[in-house]
Every structure is written in C-alpha cells, then in structure tokens.
Amino acid sequence: MDDYYRVPTLALLSILVAVFATLYLRSRTTRTLLWLIGWLLAVVRLVMIVSPYGQYGVGLAISNTAMELAALMFLGSVSTIKGRTKFFYIGAFAAPLILLSVSTSLDPSPGILLRILNCLATIAVVIVAVHWSTRTELLPVWFTLLFTVSIGGACLYFAFTGDYDRVLRLAHSGNSLMTALLVLVTYRRLSPGVIFTVTGFVMWSTPVLANVMLDHGDPALVLAMRAVNLMKVMTAVGMIVLVLEDELTSNETARMRDRRVRAEMEQYSTLDISASPTRNFGIDYDRVCEVITTASRFRQAAILQRSGDQNFPVVGRAGMEGALAGALDALGQRLTPERLDEFYKSSHSSVELGNTAIVDLRPLMVPGDDLERLNFVHIRSIPMRTSSSGLQGVLVLSGLNPPEQPLAAEDLLSLELLVARLAAGHENGLLLRRVMESEKLAGLGQLAGRVAHELNNPLTVVMGYAELLEENGLDEATRRSVGVIRSESRRMKQTVESLARFWKSTPNTPALISVEQMLTDIERLRKPELERTGIVLEIAIARDLPRIRANGDQIRQVFLQILNNAVTALQQSPAEQEKKVRIDATHIKDRVQVLFSDTGPGFPNPNRVFDPFFSTKKPGQGPGLGLSLSYSIVREHGGDISAFNLQPHGAAVAIEMPVDPAWKEPSVTGSVFSR
C-alpha cells in the first residue's frame, strides 16, 4: 500500500509538535510534557511508515514501539495518579510493551522460546493495566476494571494464537479509548478543545479495532487507515486548544482572585488599628474578626492576645457561638508564650503558606474538652509576633469557604499583613502607655520635688519650736497638744522625704542579684505569718533563672511593697473568698519577669496605680507612695512595671528586669518548679 498520502499529515504534525514545545516552555507542566513526548513519538511513527525502512526489521520495531508509547503518554497525562507513582506505572506498562513490540517486529515467526517470552510480556502488560485501573478516581473502578479485563483478555487470546500484530493494535486502541474517556471526565465541559480531543482519540482507535476484525487487504480497512491521519491532526489541534482554554481559565481565575484580594485589602484598610493607651489600645478586635469573616475565605475567626499574666484569652471573635468561644478562651487561659512557641515547633503544627500553620489542637486540650466535642480540632493559625516582645497573640481561622478549593498564597497574604498591623498596633499601644506613664510620673516627680523643698524648711521650724515648747515646763494638757504637733509634723516630714525620694532616688549601687534567692528569703520570712492569717503564699520559680544587676535592697523593698499591698487587699476581701498570693518568676527573652497576683478585689483603676498618693487603703492607713516609689526604682534599673486586674477577680503586678549581659543561656532549659 502506498503510504505517501501520510506526508501532509506528517508535515502538519511536525508543525504542531513545535507548537506543543512552545506551550511546554511556557507552562512547564507534567501534562504538557507528556503530550509533547506523545506527539514526538507519533511523528516518529509516521516517519517510519513513510520511510521504506519502516516496513520490516528495526524500522518496524521503532514504528510499533513509537505507536504504543505515544498512546501510553497520552493515557498517563490524564491519569489521576500524582508524582513519581505516575511515572512508575508508565514505566511498568511500557517495559513489557516495548519488549513485545521489538520481539514481534524483528522476528515475525518466533520459535517456542520467543513465543513464551511474548506471552509473558503480554501477561505483564495486562497485570499492570489491571492494577493501574484500580487507582483511578475519575471513573468507577468497576467500569475501568471491566474495560481493562475485556481488552486484556482479547490481547491474551491473540498472544496465545500468535497474532502479535493484533495484540499491539488492540493495546493501542484500548489506551486511546480510555484516554478519550478520561479527557471527557477530567475537563467536564463541552468546549471545542474537549470535543476535538475526545472525538480524535475515539476515531484514532476505530481503524485499529477494524484492523482486529478485518483482513489487511480489505478496502474498508484502507479507507479507515487513511481517515485516521486526519484524526491525528484534529486530536493534536484539540489538545492545543485545551491548553489555551486552560490558560484562559487560569487567567480569568487569577483576575477574579486579584479582584477579591483587592476588595479584601480595602476592607481591612478601613479598620482603625491606631495606638491608644486605653481600651485594648484602640483596637476593636470583635470588629476585626467580623471583617475577616466577611472579606476572607474563612467563616470563623478569633483573636487570642497575650495578657499581663502571660496567658492568651480571647479578645475578639466572629462566626463562633458562645460555647465554642468559651472553650477556646479556656484553652487560651492555659497557654503560656513558652508553651505556644514549643507547640509551633512540634509535629502538631505544620506551616502551610507564609506564617500560616495548620494546627492540631488536641495535644493542648484537657480530658472532656468542649473543643473536641464541638469538633474544633484542626484549625489554621497566624501568630502575632514582634521583634521586641516575641509572641503577642494568635489569629485563629476555621470554616474554609468553599472547602473543596485549596488555599492559595493570595488568600493568606492579606490576612498575614493584617496580623502584622495588629501586632504593630498592639506594641505601639504598649509603648505609648509606658511613655505616657513616664511623662506623667516625671511631671509628678518634679512637682513632688518642689513641694518637698518648699515644705521641708517650714516643717523643720515647726518641729524645732515644738521641742522648745515641750522643754518649757508647760502643763500636762498643753504638753500633750505640743506632742501631737510634733508627731504630726514628723509624719509630714516623712511624707515630704518620701516625695523627695520619688523625685530623685538614692544612688544606685548595682550588683549581681539572684531573684530566686531573694524570693526564697521573702517566702521564708513571710509565709508562716501569712498562713496564720489564712492567706496562702505560693512561689513558682523557673529553673536556671538568670541573675540581674541591681541594688538588692531597693529590689527587695519593691518586692515586699507589692506583697504587702496584695496582703492588704486580701484582708479586705470577704471571709468566704479564697485568699491566695502567687509569685511567678520566669525568664522571657532577655528579661526576668516577676509576677505578683492575688485573689483580692482588684484595682479600682489600674491606670492610676503608680500615681503618688493614689491608694486603695482606708484613710489614715498610708500616704499611697509605695507603688510610686516601686515604679521609680524599677524604671531606674531599666525595667518595666505594670498593673492589671484578673478575671473574674484579683489583681496582678508584673515586674520585668533586664538580664545581666554576662549571663549565657544554658544548653538545657529546665521547667518551672513551685514551692
């Protein structure tokens, strides 16, 4: 049969192969690569058919091998198996198929040993095909198995009868038909590309089936073989159109995603995250969560923020019922920055994109936790970190919408930028509060210094004259009155001296101080006394707590002053209420934090705790300078001190002192132990 009618088809396919090469260089996908290889093999097949050397021997072996491998490349390109496993199946399918193609082409009348080898190769092909058909996800397994067993059974029959040419053509036909079905269910649309491709593969396999049923000299077979060349061109064109359709769809999806991301960013930009020293630093976290659930792909959002007592309560939420929010808040109340940092480094947390992690909350839960009952176990979280303060909070996200569509980097970029703004806003609020307190107390200190200077001399004169009057032998009633004048003047002078110390404290003689030893001494001295009054004192100190460089007497004075304030508050509490003072000493980055907490009624106004003469005591029980002096001492040492209330009742004062620069962190960090 004259095969030169295939030359125009060969020329067109060669041009289309160049188009496929260009498409692959643009997309670099596995599917496009397999299509390029498949059409290269189809061109090789046509070249060998047109060539006079392709009708027998090595040429025929190359021709038949190229035909089988081309169909296999197209089948593998639409297979649902991912990664290296796909290439394993292609290789396992191709190896016996190549052996069968070469063997039958080089020796059309094989001996008994070669016939056995050909039959074994056919059996291997059928076994791989059957196993591959069980891995499909697009078509029912029963259908793929039935299809594969039917084609495989026919191939085995022709192999045992010695008709190896029909075995090869039937294998090619089966692969082409299955490829057509997979293309149809993969793209699930009736676009020009899908119609051309599916029709082409079906028509491409029809002459092969005809070849199985008809003799080589039948005129109907000749017409079918001529028509299949046009089908090859149509199939190649259809596949090129498919690539272009996918690119158009991808571009449209990207444009829609960009529009959504811009709209999301615009909504986030309307949020007021300005620094303010009052009301959560000016940030309405509930409003932030509402905007997140409206603009992002998540239906549920909550913000857990680090509090003064070093846990993470819920400060804002949206899309969550009260029970779920309460369970999440209870979880946050049990967390510490150290435990969260360790958890993020464990196997229960894996980074998905950027700073967003997929988290399994079960290791953080307690037996009977409501979170597990509410099926709130696997979430996404974005930590709120700052360079100076470390972990400040966590944005918790759940309820992906739509759930079947995977998250892209664009879906999380705007959220991560928002979290960075929240962390910066919170840190700026803390700094602003410290600056305002420093400025306020600096002004009060200057005023106190001037008042002390102006009152000190007159009080000295009053006390001097009172002493003279006492020495003049007055009657008893007058002497008692003069004594009252003298004692009250002395009390006023002590107050004035306290004001002077607040304005300008005594010279600081720093030395290496062990906070652990200091707290141990305080516990030894005060615990028995407190227990007699019904107050429980607990102290928890982290192992390997670093030393600080400070004036030991002044720091001890600060600790005792805060402890005395807590004891006084507990003495004013109802008798039936638990009375406990707890002192926690921990190491946070380059600072030692000492946290005094009590179960008393709390501060009436935590923002004014360090103001001079502000006191929660009853009139006459003290001038209210203790915490002001404590503030001055701590700030002089380069530390920070803050006060806040606890929920549902109680108060806490946190002191942070810088670690001595010569201290080096031990290689193994110990846990916290309680006394």
Side-chain angles (χ1 to χ4, degrees):
M1 183 178 62
D2 187 8
D3 290 320
Y4 287 104
Y5 68 91
R6 303 176 188 266
V7 173
T9 302
L10 176 60
L12 287 174
L13 282 183
S14 300
I15 296 173
L16 294 177
V17 165
V19 175
F20 273 108
T22 304
L23 293 175
Y24 171 70
L25 292 176
R26 290 183 56 183
S27 61
R28 301 280 182 177
T29 63
T30 302
R31 179 169 295 176
T32 311
L33 174 62
L34 291 176
W35 285 357
L36 173 60
I37 296 173
W39 286 113
L40 280 172
L41 292 169
V43 169
V44 171
R45 161 76 171 173
L46 282 176
V47 169
M48 298 311 299
I49 291 176
V50 172
S51 169
Y53 304 103
Q55 306 301 321
Y56 54 88
V58 176
L60 182 60
I62 294 174
S63 176
N64 288 336
T65 302
M67 176 185 70
E68 299 300 332
L69 292 182
L72 187 57
M73 294 299 110
F74 297 140
L75 177 62
S77 68
V78 289
S79 172
T80 55
I81 301 176
K82 305 294 183 182
R84 297 180 179 179
T85 307
K86 174 184 290 190
F87 290 98
F88 168 78
Y89 274 105
I90 292 176
F93 200 119
L97 203 57
I98 293 173
L99 177 62
L100 183 63
S101 299
V102 173
S103 171
T104 56
S105 301
L106 294 179
D107 190 354
S109 302
I112 184 65
L113 292 178
L114 198 55
R115 291 186 63 181
I116 294 174
L117 181 62
N118 291 339
C119 289
L120 292 176
T122 305
I123 293 172
V125 169
V126 174
I127 291 174
V128 174
V130 169
H131 195 276
W132 193 348
S133 66
T134 62
R135 300 290 302 274
T136 182
E137 297 177 1
L138 298 175
L139 294 170
V141 175
W142 66 266
F143 174 79
T144 55
L145 273 176
L146 181 62
F147 180 88
T148 304
V149 169
S150 300
I151 300 294
C155 289
L156 290 175
Y157 170 77
F158 288 124
F160 283 110
T161 59
D163 195 348
Y164 303 115
D165 183 64
R166 290 189 175 180
V167 172
L168 295 175
R169 294 182 180 277
L170 191 57
H172 176 276
S173 178
N175 287 340
S176 298
L177 284 174
M178 181 57 69
T179 302
L181 290 173
L182 289 176
V183 169
L184 190 62
V185 297
T186 297
Y187 289 93
R188 296 182 182 275
R189 62 175 186 259
L190 293 178
S191 64
V194 173
I195 294 173
F196 278 27
T197 304
V198 171
T199 304
F201 275 117
V202 171
M203 297 300 294
W204 196 350
S205 64
T206 302
V208 181
L209 290 175
N211 182 263
V212 173
M213 297 179 290
L214 301 174
D215 294 330
H216 287 282
D218 195 310
L221 179 61
V222 176
L223 291 176
M225 297 302 293
R226 290 174 180 265
V228 78
N229 289 279
L230 295 176
M231 295 301 105
K232 292 179 181 178
V233 175
M234 186 177 73
T235 307
V237 171
M239 295 170 78
I240 291 173
V241 174
L242 271 181
V243 174
L244 296 178
E245 288 175 350
D246 285 345
E247 187 170 342
L248 289 174
T249 303
S250 177
N251 291 339
E252 182 61 27
T253 303
R255 283 195 295 270
M256 292 177 62
R257 186 183 298 118
D258 289 342
R259 286 196 294 269
R260 189 188 63 78
V261 170
R262 283 198 299 270
E264 185 176 353
M265 293 291 289
E266 288 174 0
Q267 293 196 50
Y268 293 159
S269 65
T270 62
L271 293 170
D272 183 11
I273 311 179
S274 57
S276 171
T278 59
R279 193 179 169 274
N280 277 333
F281 312 110
I283 303 175
D284 186 352
Y285 289 107
D286 283 330
R287 173 61 181 162
V288 172
C289 292
E290 288 175 5
V291 174
I292 289 175
T293 55
T294 302
S296 73
R297 290 188 54 197
F298 296 95
R299 298 190 302 271
Q300 295 177 317
I303 295 176
L304 282 65
Q305 192 175 77
R306 180 175 169 181
S307 63
D309 51 348
Q310 303 304 307
N311 54 32
F312 292 84
V314 174
V315 295
R317 63 183 174 92
M320 294 184 178
E321 298 179 353
L324 178 57
L328 189 60
D329 182 73
L331 174 66
Q333 297 282 1
R334 299 193 300 267
L335 298 178
T336 62
E338 294 78 14
R339 188 179 181 188
L340 261 183
D341 281 329
E342 291 178 2
F343 180 75
Y344 273 120
K345 296 175 183 177
S346 69
S347 60
H348 302 288
S349 174
S350 59
V351 176
E352 183 177 24
L353 291 169
N355 294 322
T356 306
I358 299 177
V359 174
D360 183 358
L361 293 178
R362 284 175 294 185
L364 300 176
M365 296 180 185
V366 295
D369 202 303
D370 287 341
L371 288 177
E372 190 165 10
R373 179 178 61 81
L374 296 170
N375 198 28
F376 196 81
V377 175
H378 296 95
I379 63 164
R380 288 175 172 84
S381 69
I382 305 178
M384 299 167 55
R385 299 182 185 273
T386 60
S387 57
S388 59
S389 304
L391 185 63
Q392 290 296 311
V394 177
L395 172 62
V396 174
L397 301 167
S398 183
L400 188 63
N401 184 30
E404 69 277 359
Q405 183 179 340
L407 277 174
E410 296 83 359
D411 297 324
L412 296 172
L413 176 61
S414 53
L415 284 171
E416 294 194 358
L417 292 175
L418 175 62
V419 168
R421 286 181 60 205
L422 290 172
H426 180 69
E427 187 175 32
N428 291 339
L430 288 173
L431 293 175
L432 183 59
R433 174 176 287 182
R434 292 172 183 170
V435 169
M436 291 185 65
E437 288 180 350
S438 298
E439 291 179 350
K440 177 179 66 176
L441 293 175
L444 291 173
Q446 293 177 5
L447 176 62
R450 296 192 190 100
V451 171
H453 179 73
E454 295 296 331
L455 292 181
N456 193 47
N457 291 336
L459 283 173
T460 302
V461 173
V462 171
M463 292 176 64
Y465 276 102
E467 290 178 0
L468 290 175
L469 288 173
E470 283 183 327
E471 295 172 358
N472 285 338
L474 300 175
D475 58 86
E476 186 64 26
T478 305
R479 187 178 292 110
R480 283 197 302 270
S481 299
V482 172
V484 172
I485 293 174
R486 185 179 179 187
S487 63
E488 291 302 312
S489 298
R490 185 181 296 112
R491 191 164 71 87
M492 291 175 64
K493 186 174 180 62
Q494 290 173 351
T495 301
V496 169
E497 289 174 351
S498 296
L499 283 172
R501 283 195 298 271
F502 177 74
W503 174 52
K504 187 176 182 180
S505 61
T506 56
N508 186 15
T509 305
L512 280 178
I513 302 300
S514 171
V515 175
E516 177 183 351
Q517 185 61 51
M518 188 175 294
L519 293 176
T520 302
D521 293 341
I522 291 174
E523 178 189 23
R524 187 181 300 114
L525 292 172
R526 298 299 308 274
K527 190 170 185 177
E529 172 194 350
L530 295 177
E531 287 179 346
R532 286 194 294 272
T533 61
I535 297 176
V536 178
L537 176 62
E538 291 184 357
I539 297 184
I541 304 174
R543 298 187 186 277
D544 300 320
L545 193 69
R547 294 173 179 263
I548 62 174
R549 187 169 292 276
N551 184 311
D553 293 336
Q554 292 182 354
I555 298 302
R556 186 180 293 105
Q557 175 188 349
V558 170
F559 289 171
L560 288 172
Q561 177 64 51
I562 297 173
L563 177 60
N564 291 337
N565 280 12
V567 171
T568 302
L570 290 173
Q571 291 172 346
Q572 299 173 1
S573 301
E576 67 277 4
Q577 185 174 307
E578 179 189 20
K579 297 182 179 182
K580 183 172 71 175
V581 179
R582 181 178 174 88
I583 305 175
D584 294 272
T586 55
H587 176 213
I588 302 174
K589 299 188 72 173
D590 59 346
R591 297 205 160 200
V592 170
Q593 184 191 75
V594 182
L595 180 69
F596 292 79
S597 58
D598 63 72
T599 58
F603 297 115
N605 189 350
N607 293 328
R608 295 194 57 202
V609 165
F610 303 111
D611 291 0
F613 302 107
F614 178 82
S615 176
T616 59
K617 301 176 182 178
K618 296 179 180 179
Q621 292 185 351
L625 289 172
L627 288 178
S628 299
L629 288 171
S630 299
Y631 180 91
S632 178
I633 291 171
V634 172
R635 295 293 289 174
E636 269 197 4
H637 285 80
D640 288 319
I641 182 170
S642 58
F644 49 91
N645 286 330
L646 304 176
Q647 296 297 330
H649 54 78
V653 176
I655 300 172
E656 292 186 2
M657 299 293 292
V659 174
D660 182 69
W663 181 83
K664 293 184 178 180
E665 187 174 359
S667 57
V668 179
T669 303
S671 58
V672 175
F673 64 95
S674 298
R675 298 177 182 276

